Amino acid sequence: MNTFGRRSNTWSARTNRVLDLHRPLGSTALFRSTRYSFVANPSRITCIQRDLGEKAAKHSSDIYSSPDTQGTDKIASGGASSTRSSTPPDSPGFLSISAEFRSAPAMGELGALQSIVYHRGSLRLLDQRKLPLEVDYIDVKCSGDGWNAIRDMVVRGAPAIAIAAALALAVEVSGLEDFTGTPAEAAAFVSEKLEYLVSSRPTAVNLSDAATKLRSLVSRTAETEKDAKAIFQAYIDAAETMLVDDVSDNKAIGSHGAEFLKQKLEVSKDISVLTHCNTGSLATAGYGTALGVIRALHSGGILEKAFCTETRPFNQGSRLTAFELVHDKVPATLIADSAAAALMKSGCIQAVIVGADRIAANGDTANKIGTYNLAISAKHHGVQFYVAAPITSIDLSLPSGEQIVIEERSPNELLNSEGGLGKQVAASGISVWNPAFDVTPANLITAIITEKGVITKSDADETFNIKDFIQSAKLYSTMQ
C-alpha cells in the first residue's frame, strides 16, 4: 500500500504497516514534599524552590496550586482552547505554578524552561509551534484537547507527549463530579481514553508505556475500591507523579552521560558535541535527555561548544534547541542539517548526542528524521554517537527496529513555511513524502544513556544486552 502524502496514516519503511491515526487504539508512586514556584515571561524564566517538610498523608488533596488565570484572550488552536499572551497570566506579566510532593528532587535548574504548566484540574501547554517569536499557552481541558495538542505538535518530545497525555486525562476526570458508574466502569472509561490518546503519536513508546502502566493501575484499584471516584483519584495521583519523576530521571541521564563521555573521550574539558531535534526542557517535563547531557557537560565546565541542527522540516532545532541554548547561555552554534558531515570532517566535534522516541530490544532506535543520516556520517568520521533516553523509551516487545511503525506527517510541513502554517514554498503539484522519524541501527550507536546508567555493548559481539541491563536496574532499585 502506498501511503506517501497521506496525513492520516503512519508508515513503516520496512514492513509497510499502516496505522490509521483517526481510529482510537485500545496505562503510583510516593509523592514528594517540596514546593516549586515557576515565574516566567518571554525574556526571563526562573524557578524558586523552598522546602515544605515531610507530609504523612498518602495523597494530597491539592498537590498543585496556582492563581486563577485572568486577563487572557482565548483563540481556537489545534482543537484546544489557546491562551495567547506575550505576557503569560497571573501576576502582571508573569505565570506561576507550584507543587507539593514528598521527598523532592528539583523540578529543574534555575531558569529552566517549562512547556507543561499544570495544577490539579488545569493544564496549559506552551505552543511550541510558535516559538521562539511568540509565547502562547493552550488550555487543555479534556483528552480530546490533549489528542489534538499532541497530534498538531503543540507539545512534542516523547517524554513530554506521555506526560501531557496523562495530565490531559487527569484534568478531564477531575471534573467528573457527577459520575455515577461503578469502579469497574470508571476504570473502563479511563482505559478507553488512554487508548485514544495513544493514537495521537504512535511512534513514541513513552506514551504507550505510560498508558499501559496507568491502565494497569486503575484496573487493580477497581478490584478493591467501592467508590468510582477513588479510581479517578488514583489515576490523577499517578499522572501527577509522572510530571515530577521525569525531571529527576532527566537529571540522572545528564549526570551519567556527562561522566561517561568524559571517561570515554579521555578528556577533562573542551568537549564539543552535535545534537539533533529538541530534547530539552521543552521536550520533557524539564531539563531534558540529550540536551540534559549537554547541560550537565556545560555546568561541569567541560563543554566547549554545542552544535545544533535546524532539524527540517519542522525546525525543532533552530526554533527550540537554539532557543534553550541561548536562554541557558550555553556556547552554541546552529548549522543546516546538510552541514553535519562537513562539521564532522572538520574535527570540530567529538560526539553526537540524540534522543529517542522508541528503542527496540536490540538497540535499534527511532528518532526524529535525519538521525540516521547523522549516525552514518559519525561512523564514517570516527565520531562517537550516543542515544540519551529514559528507560520508558525502550520497547522490549520489539526485537529490532524493523517492527517500529513510522509516522508520516502532513505534506504541508514541506510545502509551506512555518511547519505548514505559513505561505507556500514548494512547487504546486509536487508529491511529498514526510516521515517524522527514521530508525538508526544499533551497530551505529556507541552507547545508550539512561537514568539508570549507560548501556554499553559487550566486547564479544559488539551488541547491546538491553534486557539484562533493565532487569539489573530494576533489581537494584528494589534493594534501595
Side-chain angles (χ1 to χ4, degrees):
M1 181 181 296
N2 182 3
T3 65
F4 288 8
R6 293 177 57 183
R7 176 182 176 84
S8 62
N9 293 335
T10 59
W11 176 81
S12 170
R14 297 174 176 81
T15 64
N16 291 324
R17 297 187 342 178
V18 178
L19 178 63
D20 184 355
L21 292 178
H22 294 280
R23 175 176 59 83
L25 307 176
S27 88
T28 173
L30 292 177
F31 290 106
R32 295 166 163 67
S33 147
T34 297
R35 180 176 294 274
Y36 303 89
S37 299
F38 295 91
V39 185
N41 66 26
S43 62
R44 179 173 176 80
I45 300 180
T46 60
C47 167
I48 306 165
Q49 172 183 334
R50 56 186 187 274
D51 293 331
L52 295 178
E54 198 71 18
K55 287 197 171 183
K58 180 178 180 181
H59 300 298
S60 169
S61 62
D62 186 12
I63 291 179
Y64 291 85
S65 61
S66 175
D68 292 334
T69 298
Q70 298 177 349
T72 57
D73 296 325
K74 302 282 180 75
I75 62 172
S77 178
S81 175
S82 172
T83 303
R84 168 174 289 183
S85 56
S86 58
T87 54
D90 292 332
S91 59
F94 293 93
L95 133 75
S96 67
I97 179 174
S98 59
E100 292 181 17
F101 295 91
R102 287 193 217 128
S103 112
M107 287 284 288
E109 295 297 311
L110 290 176
L113 300 166
Q114 296 295 318
S115 61
I116 299 173
V117 179
Y118 173 84
H119 65 88
R120 185 161 291 185
S122 173
L123 173 64
R124 300 170 67 235
L125 300 175
L126 178 62
D127 190 344
Q128 298 185 33
R129 301 169 301 178
K130 299 179 180 180
L131 289 174
L133 301 180
E134 295 182 49
V135 177
D136 285 4
Y137 289 87
I138 289 180
D139 289 327
V140 175
K141 299 179 179 179
C142 63
S143 56
D145 287 350
W147 193 99
N148 285 316
I150 294 168
R151 178 61 188 166
D152 294 342
M153 295 186 74
V154 169
V155 61
R156 20 72 48 211
I161 286 170
I163 294 166
L167 292 176
L169 182 53
V171 170
E172 182 172 349
V173 300
S174 70
L176 297 179
E177 297 292 339
D178 299 328
F179 187 86
T180 58
T182 65
E185 289 171 335
F189 174 86
V190 170
S191 294
E192 182 180 352
K193 292 291 186 177
L194 287 168
E195 290 173 2
Y196 166 65
L197 284 161
V198 167
S199 70
S200 60
R201 296 296 301 276
T203 302
V205 71
N206 306 62
L207 177 53
S208 60
D209 179 76
T212 298
K213 291 176 180 176
L214 290 168
R215 289 175 64 193
S216 177
L217 168 69
V218 297
S219 178
R220 293 194 310 270
T221 306
E223 294 175 358
T224 58
E225 293 289 347
K226 297 180 180 181
D227 185 357
K229 291 182 180 179
I231 310 301
F232 296 146
Q233 185 63 53
Y235 174 84
I236 292 169
D237 290 344
E240 289 172 345
T241 301
M242 288 175 56
L243 179 65
V244 173
D245 285 351
D246 185 64
V247 180
S248 176
D249 290 344
N250 291 343
K251 286 192 165 186
I253 289 172
S255 177
H256 289 309
E259 184 60 31
F260 188 83
L261 260 70
K262 182 178 177 180
Q263 294 177 2
K264 187 77 172 178
L265 295 171
E266 298 181 345
V267 295
S268 59
K269 60 179 181 178
D270 298 337
I271 296 175
S272 290
V273 299
L274 170 67
T275 192
H276 187 60
C277 197
N278 175 255
T279 56
S281 296
L282 297 174
T284 63
Y287 201 73
T289 54
L291 199 53
V293 176
I294 292 174
R295 283 190 163 103
L297 289 169
H298 176 59
S299 63
I302 58 177
L303 179 73
E304 180 176 6
K305 181 170 287 190
F307 291 85
C308 61
T309 61
E310 294 175 290
T311 320
R312 292 283 303 155
F314 216 76
N315 295 111
Q316 293 99 320
S318 58
R319 291 188 304 107
L320 306 178
T321 299
F323 184 62
E324 291 198 46
L325 291 169
V326 170
H327 177 275
D328 287 2
K329 296 181 174 59
V330 176
T333 297
L334 174 68
I335 66 168
D337 289 10
S338 53
L343 178 70
M344 295 179 196
K345 184 180 180 181
S346 72
C348 290
I349 62 169
Q350 291 76 51
V352 178
I353 310 174
V354 300
D357 286 82
R358 190 180 292 250
I359 302 172
N362 70 339
D364 292 351
T365 297
N367 193 50
K368 176 64 182 177
I369 190 72
T371 302
Y372 183 30
N373 302 30
L374 294 177
I376 293 173
S377 293
K379 187 74 171 181
H380 177 76
H381 293 98
V383 173
Q384 295 178 18
F385 187 93
Y386 294 94
V387 171
I391 292 291
T392 53
S393 293
I394 297 173
D395 187 351
L396 293 178
S397 71
L398 301 182
S400 75
E402 298 286 336
Q403 292 78 38
I404 298 177
V405 177
I406 300 299
E407 171 194 346
E408 186 177 339
R409 299 289 302 173
S410 167
N412 290 337
E413 292 176 2
L414 284 177
L415 296 173
N416 296 71
S417 64
E418 300 177 23
L421 301 176
K423 66 180 181 180
Q424 181 176 328
V425 294
S428 298
I430 188 68
S431 296
V432 171
W433 177 45
N434 184 21
F437 308 96
D438 55 29
V439 176
T440 299
N443 65 346
L444 298 179
I445 299 171
T446 305
I448 300 171
I449 305 164
T450 78
E451 74 276 22
K452 302 298 184 183
V454 179
I455 308 174
T456 57
K457 295 178 178 178
S458 65
D459 294 333
D461 53 8
E462 284 292 302
T463 60
F464 291 112
N465 192 341
I466 296 178
K467 184 177 181 180
D468 284 354
F469 177 89
I470 292 177
Q471 289 176 342
S472 297
K474 288 182 178 178
L475 178 61
Y476 177 78
S477 296
T478 60
M479 297 171 61
Q480 300 305 299

